[in-house]
Amino acid sequence: MPDISLSNATPYSKLFVSRCRTRPRDAFRNHCREKLTFHIMLRCSGLPFLPGNTFQDIGRQKFHKSHHFDQRNRVCILVDSKRPGIGGKPLLETDSPEYELPSLYPPRYAPSRPSWLEYDRQVLCFYGYFQEALTEVDRLPYQVRKVRILYYLEDDTMQVSEPRTLNSGIPQGCLVTRQRIPRPPPYDGAFTSLLDLNINHTVQLFDRVYTITGCDEFTRRFLNRLGISVPAAIDQPVDPATELRKQQDSAKLAKLPAYKIDTLGKFLQYDRKVLRFNGVWDDRASVFGDVHQLEVLYHLSDDTMEIKEKLPVNSGRDSNGMFLRRGRLPRHFDQLPTMGANAPVTVLNVIGGGLRGGRYLTDCVGIGKTNGEYYSDADLRIGASINVYGRRVLLTGCDPFTERYYRELYGLEDFTPLHGYDVSRDQFVPFRRIERELPPYNGWGSHEDSEGNCLSLEPKQPKIDFRKFVAYDRCSLRFGAQMVSNVPENNDRFFVISYHLSDDTISVYEIPLRNSGFRGGEFIKRRKLFLPNQELRNASRPACYRPQHFYLGAAVRLQDHHFRVTNADIYALQFMEQHCEEYPLSNVGKIVQKLRDALQPHYKQYIARHMGKVVQMKIDGQAVSTVTYESLRDMLIELLGESIVDQEIVTLCRMFSAESSEPDRCDRELVRSAIHAELNRALWWDLERTKEHIYHLEPSNPDWVTPQRLCTIIKACKLPLDNALIDKMLQILKKNEAGLLSVADFMMMINPSAVPSKPIQPLNIKHDVSFFTPYRVTGKLVNWDQLLAHIDLERSLTNQTS
């Protein structure tokens, strides 16, 4: 061993070098297993590194979690040890760099990460066995128990477990809990390590000796990378206890396969297919007996029968309706079957005696096996009588599936039901319910509440139409209306009438106008409104307003206030056009038929008189004859007079629109009012942070941003705005030629205090944001050629002339 200089070594290195001089190389290797890796200690002590030492990667990080190192200020020291400096204090960044302790590791060999982090969740798995002596069991000197040995690389702990086997008779599972296992004498103070585990090796863990027979693929690759040769897996010895148990079990089995009925195919073919018959049981011969209406069910999947009784209303019978529980119905019933009479396997004889060494034989070919006298589907038909444990049940009818089954399988054609077997007692006839006459409404509560108080002693909450609520939840039709009054000032007031389809309620909201003298806001709370000129204090419920009562041009009276509907939002118009069967004024087919009937007597004269209002235009590169909405409205009113309303005219304008692209449906002021309402409701006020965020994202051009970048800014600054509202805001913001959005316009949009917005009616942002603006028809163009082609009077008149 070469001479080692300890002039600049640490006390810890001097201790190892002294041991290295006094101990042989094997003892030094065992000592390195407990502390640090073999090749690091050789380099620290100055010993030459031999090519055969293949442990440089095994113990490189084999130290406890508390032994991990802190390398601040280029000094490698343990975390739990004293820091260099006065009083054990750590060196600061401002301390003199000349005072540096030498590192414990040579250059480029310091561990990058501790072992508990490097080998986290990495476990080596070995398979083995041990022999356990059995001195008290006859003919069994020992038994072989298979185990699995787990070696955890992060902390060198081991765990031994035995896989559980069925009916083993011994407690199995975890044999040795996870821990560091000491090595047997004479290696006192050392622990079992990875070098002690390999295939075809034996290892003693506490008081048992385990033989390792194999390992998994990960363990083999890991050991091979460390330079450890892993032999091929060896076979485990045969367990005499298992072999003896197999011999005993085989002696109990029949030499030929047991007789077994395969019912899986029939179950898969006829699952959930049931033959349904109507039957009667005449029990009038007994005391207080009567005719019982029955329903006979025959399950084709397993040939079982089930009978249910149809109890008439107010029959007075205390029964749950079950006449016969599901099961196989015997033809003849004399007594209960004996034990084992219905067993699927028949035992022929028994060979041997006692509990050991004997065996039995079964009837493999079914000699003398009978299916039993049970009812089958071939015994059931209309008019047949079956014996249900002494009760004669007559079958009187069947359902269509049963008819089809017997027609296809048995070729039957007559399925005429039998009549004349009805219940004989008059009191069993279903009682006809007579509607109760309710007292008149007294004005307390609603009509529904008053009816609930009269129908039962215990008042119940009125039921709602749940299906209608689910189908039209948050769906409301909004109409613009103007008040009609003898007071001139009231005629300038504008309202928004909302009809909620889920519960047929109506709410009215007044649009505030500056210097009008009216505050605006909620005018009529959400409730059901009755039609005028009705007697409210009556026993029957008064008629309420329906959605068909609201259309463009309609005059309604809501709580003694007269309104004229002048406009509607886009959602209301689309909803009525999609459900045109319920809203005839939005049915294009009926409107065109009305025009066709009115134009047929003087079609050519009418068209020639109004040709001066038709203008030729090019739309999308094609010449189209168009007419304005105002001109079309005058023409239709001249033709039909009061028989046509504004709703029908707007429906025609929308159907035969000649505009190439629909303009923006968003009203800037309404969208801005909705944004301010959302920001005020969420108490959001963080404009400075938003400006700073925009500057950091766009330092070169902070005045214009892309729509995608603006969406990112809105999400990053956590503006309490819905996605639908954000999309509408992006549409109304000012843009330049490159399609970039103005940042100044965006900051004005989210600043309620700079330019206050008008108050807005409470809206459902997710549902109503796409339809803020009411539908305006002023200046709309109508495709005149398409309208005339749809009326289709030119061809019909030509055919009549010819």
Side-chain angles (χ1 to χ4, degrees):
M1 182 174 295
D3 190 13
I4 300 174
S5 176
L6 301 178
S7 58
N8 296 326
T10 61
Y12 197 64
S13 302
K14 294 179 180 180
L15 175 61
F16 279 102
V17 172
S18 62
R19 290 188 178 181
C20 182
R21 289 174 175 174
T22 56
R23 294 185 180 182
R25 184 176 296 274
D26 293 338
F28 176 71
R29 182 181 302 173
N30 294 334
H31 183 70
C32 290
R33 286 195 187 101
E34 301 176 15
K35 299 299 181 180
L36 300 174
T37 61
F38 182 55
H39 76 285
I40 293 176
M41 295 308 305
L42 287 176
R43 293 181 179 271
C44 290
S45 59
L47 294 177
F49 183 78
L50 300 180
N53 297 332
T54 59
F55 312 112
Q56 61 272 22
D57 293 333
I58 298 177
R60 191 182 64 149
Q61 298 169 353
K62 276 192 174 181
F63 42 82
H64 196 263
K65 292 181 180 180
S66 62
H67 291 173
H68 105 243
F69 295 88
D70 186 2
Q71 299 184 8
R72 292 182 299 179
N73 297 329
R74 295 177 293 174
V75 178
C76 184
I77 56 176
L78 291 175
V79 173
D80 296 339
S81 62
K82 292 285 186 178
R83 302 302 197 273
I86 302 176
K89 297 182 180 179
L91 290 175
L92 301 178
E93 297 291 342
T94 57
D95 291 346
S96 175
E98 299 178 358
Y99 179 74
E100 294 183 357
L101 292 177
S103 175
L104 183 62
Y105 297 96
R108 298 187 303 276
Y109 280 92
S112 59
R113 294 187 299 177
S115 61
W116 57 268
L117 184 59
E118 180 72 21
Y119 298 117
D120 183 28
R121 299 183 182 180
Q122 296 188 15
V123 184
L124 305 184
C125 180
F126 297 91
Y127 304 102
Y129 69 92
F130 70 93
Q131 294 184 357
E132 185 178 19
L134 300 176
T135 58
E136 299 179 356
V137 180
D138 187 16
R139 296 183 296 174
L140 291 178
Y142 64 91
Q143 67 176 353
V144 177
R145 300 177 61 176
K146 301 177 182 179
V147 297
R148 185 176 63 172
I149 303 174
L150 301 179
Y151 187 89
Y152 296 87
L153 295 172
E154 59 177 341
D155 53 0
D156 298 334
T157 56
M158 300 178 62
Q159 181 182 356
V160 182
S161 60
E162 181 180 6
R164 300 181 184 274
T165 56
L166 186 63
N167 299 328
S168 63
I170 55 177
Q172 296 176 327
C174 184
L175 302 181
V176 180
T177 59
R178 180 178 175 180
Q179 56 184 303
R180 298 192 68 185
I181 302 176
R183 301 182 65 186
Y187 304 101
D188 297 336
F191 294 92
T192 303
S193 65
L194 181 59
L195 300 180
D196 300 325
L197 305 177
N198 207 338
I199 297 179
N200 203 11
H201 286 189
T202 59
V203 57
Q204 181 176 352
L205 305 178
F206 295 113
D207 57 344
R208 287 175 179 168
V209 177
Y210 299 89
T211 302
I212 301 177
T213 60
C215 64
D216 59 358
E217 189 64 24
F218 172 76
T219 304
R220 184 179 296 273
R221 291 198 306 266
F222 184 83
L223 295 178
N224 290 337
R225 286 198 302 266
L226 297 181
I228 300 176
S229 177
V230 181
I234 61 177
D235 297 334
Q236 294 185 351
V238 179
D239 184 15
T242 304
E243 295 297 325
L244 179 61
R245 193 178 299 111
K246 290 182 180 179
Q247 295 177 4
Q248 294 176 354
D249 294 341
S250 62
K252 298 178 183 179
L253 299 177
K255 297 303 180 182
L256 295 178
Y259 183 78
K260 183 180 180 180
I261 302 176
D262 186 12
T263 59
L264 180 59
K266 189 173 184 179
F267 172 78
L268 297 177
Q269 182 180 1
Y270 295 107
D271 183 29
R272 298 185 181 182
K273 295 182 179 180
V274 182
L275 304 180
R276 190 181 303 271
F277 292 90
N278 297 325
V280 293
W281 171 43
D282 192 355
D283 190 33
R284 288 176 290 187
S286 61
V287 180
F288 305 110
D290 208 338
V291 178
H292 298 262
Q293 299 287 339
L294 304 177
E295 186 179 19
V296 182
L297 305 178
Y298 186 87
H299 299 268
L300 295 173
S301 60
D302 53 357
D303 298 326
T304 56
M305 295 185 65
E306 181 182 7
I307 302 178
K308 299 180 180 180
E309 184 177 4
K310 300 178 181 179
L311 296 177
V313 180
N314 299 328
S315 62
R317 299 172 186 169
D318 187 11
S319 174
N320 58 355
M322 183 60 67
F323 188 80
L324 176 66
R325 189 173 59 182
R326 180 176 176 178
R328 301 200 67 183
L329 181 62
R331 297 174 184 269
H332 308 286
F333 178 76
D334 298 330
Q335 60 181 2
L336 293 175
T338 59
M339 185 178 297
N342 298 329
V345 178
T346 302
V347 179
L348 295 180
N349 51 23
V350 179
I351 302 176
L355 299 178
R356 297 169 57 188
R359 62 178 181 174
Y360 61 88
L361 296 179
T362 59
D363 186 3
C364 306
V365 295
I367 301 175
K369 182 70 176 180
T370 59
N371 294 330
E373 295 294 330
Y374 295 99
Y375 281 103
S376 63
D377 56 346
D379 302 323
L380 305 180
R381 66 183 183 277
I382 297 177
S385 179
I386 59 177
N387 181 15
V388 183
Y389 294 101
R391 298 174 176 86
R392 307 301 300 184
V393 176
L394 178 65
L395 304 181
T396 60
C398 61
D399 63 347
F401 172 76
T402 307
E403 294 181 6
R404 186 167 58 255
Y405 176 81
Y406 280 96
R407 186 179 291 109
E408 296 176 357
L409 188 61
Y410 295 101
L412 300 181
E413 295 295 338
D414 187 12
F415 297 98
T416 304
L418 302 180
H419 302 283
Y421 296 94
D422 297 334
V423 180
S424 59
R425 296 185 181 182
D426 297 337
Q427 59 268 27
F428 291 161
V429 177
F431 176 71
R432 294 184 178 179
R433 181 177 179 181
I434 301 176
E435 294 293 337
R436 298 181 182 180
E437 184 178 356
L438 299 177
Y441 174 65
N442 56 4
W444 291 89
S446 62
H447 290 77
E448 293 82 358
D449 293 337
S450 299
E451 291 180 4
N453 294 335
C454 300
L455 294 177
S456 61
L457 294 177
E458 182 180 356
K460 297 181 180 179
Q461 184 179 4
K463 296 183 179 179
I464 63 174
D465 191 351
F466 186 74
R467 294 184 178 179
K468 184 177 181 180
F469 176 79
V470 173
Y472 298 109
D473 184 25
R474 298 183 180 181
C475 294
S476 59
L477 306 180
R478 288 195 300 278
F479 302 89
Q482 185 178 6
M483 180 176 287
V484 179
S485 175
N486 296 328
V487 180
E489 290 78 5
N490 290 338
N491 295 330
D492 297 333
R493 302 171 65 181
F494 294 93
F495 300 84
V496 176
I497 302 175
S498 300
Y499 189 95
H500 305 276
L501 298 173
S502 60
D503 54 358
D504 297 326
T505 56
I506 300 174
S507 61
V508 181
Y509 180 87
E510 183 178 2
I511 300 176
L513 297 177
R514 182 173 296 181
N515 299 328
S516 63
F518 301 99
R519 297 181 57 185
E522 188 178 35
F523 188 76
I524 298 177
K525 290 186 177 180
R526 180 175 176 178
R527 68 186 68 177
K528 286 187 177 182
L529 299 180
F530 306 124
L531 292 174
N533 303 326
Q534 290 189 94
E535 181 61 35
L536 299 181
R537 295 183 180 272
N538 197 359
S540 59
R541 297 183 185 179
C544 301
Y545 273 101
R546 307 295 299 172
Q548 288 78 9
H549 292 98
F550 296 92
Y551 54 88
L552 297 182
V556 294
R557 179 182 174 185
L558 306 179
Q559 289 189 349
D560 297 334
H561 295 280
H562 296 271
F563 298 93
R564 185 177 71 253
V565 179
T566 59
N567 212 330
D569 63 356
I570 300 176
Y571 175 77
L573 295 177
Q574 289 182 356
F575 182 85
M576 290 187 289
E577 292 170 0
Q578 293 172 1
H579 302 80
C580 56
E581 297 82 4
E582 303 177 9
Y583 303 91
L585 297 180
S586 297
N587 194 332
V588 179
K590 293 183 179 180
I591 301 172
V592 172
Q593 183 62 35
K594 184 188 296 185
L595 293 178
R596 185 182 296 111
D597 297 339
L599 285 173
Q600 191 169 6
H602 45 83
Y603 173 73
K604 293 185 178 180
Q605 297 81 1
Y606 183 83
I607 297 299
R609 186 168 63 252
H610 295 90
M611 282 300 296
K613 300 179 181 179
V614 180
V615 179
Q616 297 291 333
M617 298 181 61
K618 280 192 176 182
I619 300 177
D620 295 336
Q622 297 181 359
V624 179
S625 300
T626 61
V627 62
T628 62
Y629 167 77
E630 291 78 4
S631 301
L632 179 63
R633 185 175 184 275
D634 296 338
M635 294 165 58
L636 295 179
I637 292 177
E638 178 186 352
L639 177 64
L640 298 174
E642 297 181 356
S643 60
I644 190 170
V645 296
D646 293 343
Q647 180 75 25
E648 297 174 317
I649 301 174
V650 170
T651 302
L652 287 177
C653 180
R654 287 172 50 82
M655 180 64 185
F656 304 103
S657 177
E659 298 183 359
S660 58
S661 59
E662 189 172 349
D664 190 10
R665 299 182 296 178
C666 295
D667 190 346
R668 178 181 176 87
E669 291 300 326
L670 289 177
V671 174
R672 184 167 167 270
S673 300
I675 293 174
H676 290 179
E678 292 295 318
L679 295 178
N680 292 331
R681 186 175 63 176
L683 300 178
W684 184 88
W685 185 259
D686 203 357
L687 292 175
E688 297 300 330
R689 181 171 175 268
T690 305
K691 294 179 181 178
E692 182 181 356
H693 191 77
I694 295 174
Y695 179 77
H696 282 291
L697 291 179
E698 299 290 341
S700 59
N701 188 14
D703 297 333
W704 302 92
V705 294
T706 60
Q708 295 79 8
R709 182 58 61 90
L710 187 59
C711 291
T712 304
I713 294 170
I714 294 174
K715 296 299 182 182
C717 297
K718 298 182 179 180
L719 268 73
L721 301 179
D722 191 80
N723 293 332
L725 189 57
I726 294 174
D727 295 339
K728 292 302 172 184
M729 182 179 62
L730 296 180
Q731 295 180 11
I732 65 175
L733 290 177
K734 296 180 181 179
K735 300 180 181 179
N736 59 4
E737 295 78 4
L740 302 179
L741 302 179
S742 173
V743 175
D745 193 17
F746 168 70
M747 298 304 299
M748 189 272 295
M749 189 70 63
I750 63 175
N751 189 1
S753 62
V755 181
S757 59
K758 297 180 181 179
I760 190 174
Q761 178 190 7
L763 296 175
N764 184 350
I765 300 301
K766 291 186 178 181
H767 184 269
D768 303 330
V769 69
S770 299
F771 308 98
F772 272 173
T773 307
Y775 184 75
R776 296 183 176 89
V777 293
T778 303
K780 290 281 185 177
L781 297 179
V782 181
N783 193 331
W784 180 252
D785 296 337
Q786 188 178 2
L787 177 60
L788 295 181
H790 208 75
I791 295 175
D792 197 16
L793 279 178
E794 186 76 26
R795 184 176 57 181
S796 60
L797 293 176
T798 304
N799 296 336
Q800 292 179 4
T801 304
S802 60

